[in-house]
Amino acid sequence: MPQLALLYGRAWAALFGQLRRPPRAVCIQMVHSRSQVAEAVLTSQQKPHQEKSNFIIKTPKGTRDLSPQQMVVREKILDMVVSCFKRHGAKGLDTPAFELKEMLTEKYGEDSGLIYDLKDQGGELLSLRYDLTVPFARYLAMNKLKKMKRYHVGKVWRRESPTIVQGRYREFCQCDFDIAGQFDPMIPDAECLKIICEILSGLQLGDFLIKISWKDVRHEMVAKKGLAPEVADQIGDYVQCHGGVSLVEQMFQDPRLSQNKQALEGLGDLKLLFEYLTLFGIAEKISFDLSLARGLDYYTGVIYEAVLLQTPAQAEEEPLNVGSVAAGGRYDGLVGMFDPKGHKVPCVGLSIGVERIFSIVEQRMKTFGEKVRTTETQVFVATPQKNFLQERLKLIAELWDAGIKAELLYKNNPKLLTQLHYCENTGIPLVVIIGEQELKEGVIKLRLVASREEVAIKRENLVAEIQKRLSES
Amino acid sequence: MPQLALLYGRAWAALFGQLRRPPRAVCIQMVHSRSQVAEAVLTSQQKPHQEKSNFIIKTPKGTRDLSPQQMVVREKILDMVVSCFKRHGAKGLDTPAFELKEMLTEKYGEDSGLIYDLKDQGGELLSLRYDLTVPFARYLAMNKLKKMKRYHVGKVWRRESPTIVQGRYREFCQCDFDIAGQFDPMIPDAECLKIICEILSGLQLGDFLIKISWKDVRHEMVAKKGLAPEVADQIGDYVQCHGGVSLVEQMFQDPRLSQNKQALEGLGDLKLLFEYLTLFGIAEKISFDLSLARGLDYYTGVIYEAVLLQTPAQAEEEPLNVGSVAAGGRYDGLVGMFDPKGHKVPCVGLSIGVERIFSIVEQRMKTFGEKVRTTETQVFVATPQKNFLQERLKLIAELWDAGIKAELLYKNNPKLLTQLHYCENTGIPLVVIIGEQELKEGVIKLRLVASREEVAIKRENLVAEIQKRLSES
């Protein structure tokens, strides 16, 4: 994973700046009663003979804005995740934020109550998507696609009770990778687990473990279907166990299990899976664990969940309950639910819990108190002189046209010190200074903000000189 | 704009492949009646004594999935737009897909009926955002920010009658750039127009023109407020005119206008704006045009709209009504609507109509029938031998771990021809071939798909050799 590591090495250090969240709600006083807004407020909080009223300006419960600082962190993390998905040959896909309500029906079991419905304003009944998996299955069925390897990064919405401290929101971002199609057993499943390992290692979140269970095996054993109660009780012991290849081997040889056809098949596949995981060099990251139970209805076969074993710098940080940071599994029946003849398209996939990863990285940045740049500006155009706006505007247009990221202050006559402070505060590395003297001599002063060194450059060489310096840094 | 041009030169040619849209709706037959889904359908289409029913699997009206081909085009265009925003020093920002309903009230005038409301499921009343401007103003007021230069790329939703052929959807992507803050007049306004020019030139969509109007001037003249009817009629002539600096100069000197204080101020600013546009080298792209009227309520001062003068290769293509491809203006009052004391934060901004740009580029690609790669896979791992899955898995993990984008077929024993065809069909440039002979000799065969040339490489040098070839290509 050198790509991730490289990015990490180069850009990560700059990332760990202090993240200050904007106040989540600001209570303000309404003076100009802007009819409807004010009216809605007045209706609920009416006080006689008083025109002013309090009203809260905020984002909806369980949602939040992402500040520029947060956006920088998010962009870096999503870039790493998507580049991993692309490394594994996935295509991009996007689906609408809402689906016909009936498309989501019967897919989420008990969780269905958490789906956001749209108001009936005439026309179709619509719901906000609850995950990216069901829209993917709908897409496959609708386009009669029998195989596809796709990734999808997008928001989903769930009406959960938000516990903000744990990083759970009603609107959150999901990053999904899925492989649809009929293939030889366990090869795509193993690749999904490999991808989770690559992403979690690449993000350097600390040690992690992926717990694997098997829906059918678990069902046979725990729900006791088709097993004599006393056998089930004995087998129930395995639910307490967890381990790797050796545990699978042990269960495989247990006659109480080998007598049950469905459980036996599941265990055979599981053994194959561990073979492939060993070839991928990740077997020691995976633990078979029947106590794991994933909530969603549509899973069949293998299911998994990645958990962090510790926060990255646990000693220095407050403990943070982050829960699972990735999860997924096989869902061979979902596409068939959309198909007229119930034709199945076997699928396996994973979802990276990026919101939780954002929380961890933000907390880490807070702890280490480093600064993060929220713009990418390379050059600032300044002047010590009054009435030099025209020269500054001509100059900056030249830089923009050459593809150079440049800013100036939107003032006719800014003070030089104000301009230089702006560069130091926002981390702009280069300043181009133009004044009467420079204009007369046909030069431009180039100032390196870090060293405060200044060099004179011929006006006509400016763009080339800047591009040279930027490519070297 | 060499950055855009460079990207264009390098990646654009590859982009213009045939774009086949997936069928928008597939009529399927329901066999397994999946209770609720089927029930909903049966209720509306009930036929006696018949268990099967037709039901349509589709996306909601006015929305669509974006196929991998479309996603590639979209990604390239959005990259160009965002890199321009960053070149001008903008920070990223994100806001929730929905807002408290009252936040959107009184912002959109007649268009308010097009807002999507969420169903009241207990708790707050919510609406999907209608644009990115109102959430930005809400963000500024909520966080008491007096200035900010930000960009925002995101979906917005409007319950319009969709006319799909014209590229109008109920869910669509907006790319906004805005400058908030009290600055010297017309400098940020001129930068917004410069940005529109950079983006439209960079995307090479053909010739374009930006029409400018002035809300106050227009109001004074057209709505005749404060003007004697006969004066208004005379001035009304200007509504027919359009032009650049000279027209502004002419109006400026007209005593009928210079007697009206508000109109005069507007014209003075307009003259200043044209001075800056000349310094930016874009004055000839801008036309003052009082007939332009933007619909949204919140605009004040300058308003503008960019239109394409012709489609890129008009001769070869069917005419496409694309309407405006960018628009924006000044809205000095919007933030104050959220502020308790009505404190204003002057703002000016722009929105790129990327959906229309997508339509144009897609149509162009259709016309030229070029192929677009939907994956970025660099290396395919193949074998001519049976029972070589283990070797292939070990090898591909090595490539992935080195950051190389690699794929294999998920089959135990695929045919070599099938594997090579897969590479040719999907545009993978390199194939690594491992068989018994190679294994014995400690080498790997590297095949260049384009030339079908094959070279043997020592197993231990494989990753370095591939990285060298990829960096050279």
Side-chain angles (χ1 to χ4, degrees):
Chain A
M1 287 134 286
Q3 282 197 327
L4 297 182
L6 195 67
L7 184 61
Y8 202 95
R10 258 199 248 130
W12 212 232
L15 249 172
F16 285 60
Q18 188 102 25
L19 257 206
R20 278 179 230 105
R21 268 199 209 152
R24 294 194 44 77
V26 183
C27 182
I28 62 169
Q29 279 242 319
M30 195 75 178
V31 172
H32 301 294
S33 79
R34 308 244 13 139
S35 62
Q36 281 159 280
V37 178
E39 249 171 57
V41 173
L42 284 170
T43 312
S44 59
Q45 311 186 7
Q46 213 151 22
K47 287 169 194 167
H49 309 295
Q50 193 181 339
E51 273 185 37
K52 294 182 188 180
S53 71
N54 292 316
F55 102 118
I56 305 285
I57 174 163
K58 62 185 276 294
T59 61
K61 188 178 169 188
T63 69
R64 58 171 174 172
D65 297 316
L66 294 172
S67 70
Q69 285 83 354
Q70 291 170 313
M71 287 297 283
V72 173
V73 178
R74 178 160 297 229
E75 209 174 289
K76 298 283 178 202
I77 292 172
L78 292 182
D79 277 356
M80 288 185 196
V81 170
V82 168
S83 81
C84 179
F85 292 162
K86 287 183 174 174
R87 191 159 63 242
H88 288 262
K91 304 174 179 189
L93 180 70
D94 191 39
T95 68
F98 43 71
E99 296 275 341
L100 296 182
K101 185 176 165 60
E102 66 201 50
M103 297 296 159
L104 306 190
T105 307
E106 290 243 314
K107 308 299 186 304
Y108 301 107
E110 290 175 6
D111 291 350
S112 300
L114 304 183
I115 294 174
Y116 277 99
D117 292 329
L118 270 71
K119 190 170 156 184
D120 183 0
Q121 293 170 293
E124 301 160 331
L125 292 181
L126 307 172
S127 301
L128 295 184
R129 67 184 175 205
Y130 185 83
D131 63 9
L132 303 176
T133 311
V134 168
F136 175 51
R138 193 262 308 142
Y139 178 82
L140 292 174
M142 180 172 136
N143 295 288
K144 298 189 190 303
L145 299 175
K146 293 295 172 212
K147 59 181 170 185
M148 182 175 196
K149 184 155 63 175
R150 82 89 179 81
Y151 73 90
H152 189 174
V153 174
K155 287 179 174 179
V156 301
W157 296 270
R158 301 181 181 183
R159 292 177 53 253
E160 290 184 277
S161 289
T163 317
I164 306 288
V165 277
Q166 292 194 311
R168 296 192 81 175
Y169 292 95
R170 291 183 159 197
E171 171 182 84
F172 57 96
C173 179
Q174 281 201 334
C175 298
D176 281 23
F177 172 100
D178 293 82
I179 300 171
Q182 183 69 59
F183 301 111
D184 283 336
M186 293 301 115
I187 313 176
D189 310 62
E191 185 171 2
C192 288
L193 291 162
K194 172 77 172 127
I195 287 173
I196 294 179
C197 287
E198 284 181 29
I199 289 172
L200 295 183
S201 304
L203 290 171
Q204 299 183 17
L205 299 171
D207 209 8
F208 63 89
L209 186 73
I210 304 178
K211 298 180 188 172
I212 289 195
S213 185
W214 204 272
K215 199 152 178 182
D216 298 331
V217 179
R218 182 181 159 80
H219 190 258
E220 291 306 318
M221 292 173 60
V222 178
K224 303 174 192 111
K225 189 182 117 194
L227 285 184
E230 64 276 17
V231 179
D233 284 348
Q234 288 173 297
I235 293 172
D237 302 344
Y238 286 115
V239 179
Q240 316 299 327
C241 302
H242 49 86
V245 190
S246 59
L247 175 64
V248 176
E249 200 64 54
Q250 186 190 337
M251 293 173 73
F252 204 75
Q253 312 236 329
D254 192 317
R256 295 173 301 183
L257 280 171
S258 54
Q259 281 158 18
N260 182 301
K261 192 169 165 271
Q262 212 172 344
L264 189 66
E265 277 177 17
L267 283 173
D269 280 346
L270 201 52
K271 199 181 155 196
L272 191 62
L273 177 63
F274 268 99
E275 260 180 58
Y276 296 160
L277 298 177
T278 306
L279 292 165
F280 282 163
I282 56 167
E284 81 285 358
K285 290 288 185 195
I286 320 288
S287 170
F288 183 58
D289 182 348
L290 279 176
S291 70
L292 174 73
R294 290 270 300 162
L296 295 179
D297 256 20
Y298 49 63
Y299 281 110
T300 56
V302 64
I303 45 177
Y304 36 80
E305 185 170 80
V307 291
L308 296 186
L309 295 181
Q310 56 179 13
T311 54
Q314 213 170 21
E316 292 119 279
E317 287 172 30
E318 291 170 43
L320 178 73
N321 181 356
V322 294
S324 76
V325 288
R330 183 160 278 284
Y331 50 101
D332 287 347
L334 188 58
V335 178
M337 289 175 76
F338 291 105
D339 188 85
K341 295 182 180 165
H343 282 316
K344 289 184 177 180
V345 178
C347 294
V348 64
L350 64 96
S351 188
I352 303 293
V354 278
E355 297 290 343
R356 291 177 185 190
I357 292 171
F358 298 148
S359 298
I360 294 165
V361 173
E362 282 175 19
Q363 178 159 346
R364 195 194 302 182
M365 291 166 75
K366 224 174 180 171
T367 306
F368 291 99
E370 287 176 46
K371 262 216 161 179
V372 55
R373 278 197 75 185
T374 53
T375 63
E376 297 179 6
T377 308
Q378 299 161 322
V379 180
F380 186 89
V381 176
T383 185
Q385 233 87 40
K386 285 204 170 180
N387 302 317
F388 254 69
L389 178 62
Q390 293 209 343
E391 287 303 324
R392 284 154 64 214
L393 293 181
K394 255 198 293 187
L395 192 51
I396 201 167
E398 203 179 314
L399 298 178
W400 286 331
D401 290 346
I404 295 166
K405 297 169 187 161
E407 279 185 83
L408 49 65
L409 293 192
Y410 302 127
K411 278 185 154 247
N412 291 319
N413 300 309
K415 286 182 187 153
L416 184 61
L417 205 62
T418 312
Q419 298 171 78
L420 297 181
H421 277 166
Y422 181 82
C423 297
E424 287 181 4
N425 292 338
T426 59
I428 301 174
L430 297 175
V431 188
V432 157
I433 301 172
I434 185 162
E436 263 170 33
Q437 188 65 24
E438 287 81 13
L439 199 61
K440 210 160 53 185
E441 296 173 8
V443 298
I444 297 283
K445 235 189 269 169
L446 186 65
R447 181 187 169 102
L448 318 184
V449 176
S451 65
R452 299 187 177 180
E453 185 195 340
E454 290 185 357
V455 287
I457 291 164
K458 275 192 184 164
R459 180 71 169 82
E460 61 269 29
N461 298 341
L462 181 67
V463 164
E465 177 66 28
I466 289 175
Q467 280 168 336
K468 185 169 147 275
R469 284 172 184 262
L470 291 174
S471 71
E472 283 166 1
S473 66
Chain B
M1 286 134 287
Q3 280 196 329
L4 297 181
L6 195 67
L7 185 61
Y8 201 97
R10 259 198 248 129
W12 214 232
L15 248 171
F16 285 61
Q18 187 102 25
L19 257 206
R20 277 180 232 102
R21 268 198 207 151
R24 296 195 43 78
V26 183
C27 181
I28 62 170
Q29 279 242 319
M30 195 74 177
V31 172
H32 302 294
S33 80
R34 307 240 17 135
S35 63
Q36 282 158 280
V37 178
E39 250 171 56
V41 173
L42 284 170
T43 313
S44 60
Q45 311 187 6
Q46 215 151 21
K47 288 170 193 165
H49 308 295
Q50 192 180 341
E51 272 184 37
K52 293 182 188 177
S53 71
N54 291 316
F55 103 118
I56 306 284
I57 175 166
K58 62 186 275 295
T59 61
K61 187 178 170 189
T63 70
R64 57 171 174 172
D65 297 315
L66 294 172
S67 70
Q69 284 84 353
Q70 292 171 311
M71 287 297 283
V72 173
V73 179
R74 180 160 295 230
E75 210 174 290
K76 297 283 178 202
I77 292 173
L78 292 182
D79 277 356
M80 289 185 196
V81 171
V82 168
S83 80
C84 178
F85 292 163
K86 286 183 174 175
R87 190 159 63 243
H88 287 262
K91 304 174 176 187
L93 179 70
D94 191 41
T95 67
F98 43 71
E99 295 276 340
L100 297 182
K101 184 176 165 60
E102 66 201 51
M103 297 297 158
L104 306 190
T105 307
E106 289 244 315
K107 307 299 186 304
Y108 301 108
E110 289 175 6
D111 291 350
S112 299
L114 304 182
I115 294 173
Y116 276 100
D117 292 330
L118 270 71
K119 190 171 156 184
D120 184 359
Q121 293 171 292
E124 302 159 331
L125 292 180
L126 307 171
S127 301
L128 294 185
R129 67 184 174 206
Y130 185 83
D131 63 9
L132 303 176
T133 311
V134 168
F136 175 52
R138 192 263 306 143
Y139 177 83
L140 292 173
M142 180 173 136
N143 295 288
K144 297 190 190 304
L145 299 175
K146 292 295 173 211
K147 59 181 171 186
M148 181 174 198
K149 183 156 62 177
R150 82 89 180 79
Y151 73 89
H152 189 175
V153 174
K155 287 178 175 180
V156 301
W157 296 270
R158 301 181 181 181
R159 292 178 53 253
E160 290 184 278
S161 290
T163 317
I164 305 287
V165 277
Q166 292 194 309
R168 297 193 82 175
Y169 292 95
R170 289 183 161 198
E171 171 182 81
F172 57 96
C173 179
Q174 282 201 333
C175 298
D176 281 23
F177 172 99
D178 293 84
I179 300 171
Q182 183 71 57
F183 301 112
D184 283 335
M186 294 300 115
I187 314 177
D189 310 61
E191 185 170 1
C192 287
L193 290 162
K194 172 78 173 125
I195 288 173
I196 295 179
C197 287
E198 284 181 28
I199 289 173
L200 296 184
S201 304
L203 290 172
Q204 300 183 16
L205 298 171
D207 208 7
F208 62 90
L209 186 72
I210 305 178
K211 298 181 189 173
I212 289 195
S213 185
W214 204 272
K215 199 154 179 184
D216 298 329
V217 179
R218 182 180 159 79
H219 190 258
E220 292 305 318
M221 291 172 58
V222 179
K224 304 176 191 107
K225 189 184 118 194
L227 286 183
E230 65 276 14
V231 179
D233 285 349
Q234 289 172 299
I235 293 173
D237 301 344
Y238 286 115
V239 179
Q240 317 299 327
C241 301
H242 49 87
V245 191
S246 60
L247 175 63
V248 176
E249 199 64 54
Q250 187 191 337
M251 293 173 73
F252 204 75
Q253 313 236 330
D254 192 317
R256 295 171 301 182
L257 281 172
S258 54
Q259 280 157 18
N260 183 298
K261 191 169 165 273
Q262 213 172 345
L264 189 67
E265 277 177 19
L267 282 173
D269 280 348
L270 200 53
K271 197 181 156 195
L272 191 61
L273 177 63
F274 268 99
E275 258 180 61
Y276 297 159
L277 298 177
T278 305
L279 291 166
F280 282 164
I282 56 167
E284 81 285 357
K285 291 288 184 195
I286 319 288
S287 169
F288 183 57
D289 182 348
L290 280 177
S291 69
L292 174 73
R294 290 269 301 160
L296 296 178
D297 255 21
Y298 49 63
Y299 281 110
T300 57
V302 64
I303 46 177
Y304 35 82
E305 186 170 79
V307 291
L308 296 186
L309 295 181
Q310 55 179 14
T311 53
Q314 213 169 18
E316 292 118 279
E317 286 171 33
E318 292 170 43
L320 178 73
N321 182 356
V322 294
S324 76
V325 288
R330 182 159 280 283
Y331 50 102
D332 287 348
L334 188 58
V335 178
M337 289 175 77
F338 290 106
D339 188 85
K341 295 183 179 162
H343 282 317
K344 289 185 177 179
V345 177
C347 293
V348 64
L350 64 97
S351 188
I352 303 292
V354 278
E355 297 290 342
R356 291 176 184 190
I357 293 171
F358 297 149
S359 297
I360 295 166
V361 173
E362 282 174 19
Q363 175 158 347
R364 195 195 304 182
M365 291 166 75
K366 225 173 181 173
T367 305
F368 291 99
E370 287 175 47
K371 263 216 162 181
V372 55
R373 279 197 73 184
T374 53
T375 63
E376 298 178 7
T377 309
Q378 300 160 322
V379 180
F380 186 88
V381 176
T383 185
Q385 233 88 40
K386 284 202 170 182
N387 302 319
F388 254 70
L389 177 61
Q390 294 209 343
E391 287 303 324
R392 284 154 62 213
L393 293 181
K394 253 198 292 187
L395 192 52
I396 200 167
E398 205 179 312
L399 297 178
W400 287 331
D401 290 347
I404 295 165
K405 298 169 187 162
E407 280 186 82
L408 48 65
L409 292 191
Y410 302 126
K411 279 186 153 245
N412 291 320
N413 300 310
K415 287 182 186 151
L416 184 61
L417 206 61
T418 311
Q419 297 172 78
L420 297 181
H421 276 166
Y422 181 83
C423 297
E424 287 181 4
N425 291 338
T426 59
I428 301 174
L430 298 175
V431 189
V432 157
I433 300 172
I434 184 161
E436 264 169 32
Q437 189 63 25
E438 287 81 12
L439 199 61
K440 211 161 50 185
E441 295 173 8
V443 298
I444 297 282
K445 234 189 271 168
L446 187 65
R447 181 187 168 102
L448 317 184
V449 176
S451 64
R452 298 184 177 182
E453 183 195 342
E454 289 185 357
V455 286
I457 291 163
K458 276 192 183 163
R459 180 72 168 82
E460 62 268 28
N461 298 341
L462 181 67
V463 163
E465 178 66 28
I466 288 176
Q467 280 168 336
K468 187 170 146 274
R469 282 172 186 262
L470 291 174
S471 70
E472 283 165 0
S473 65

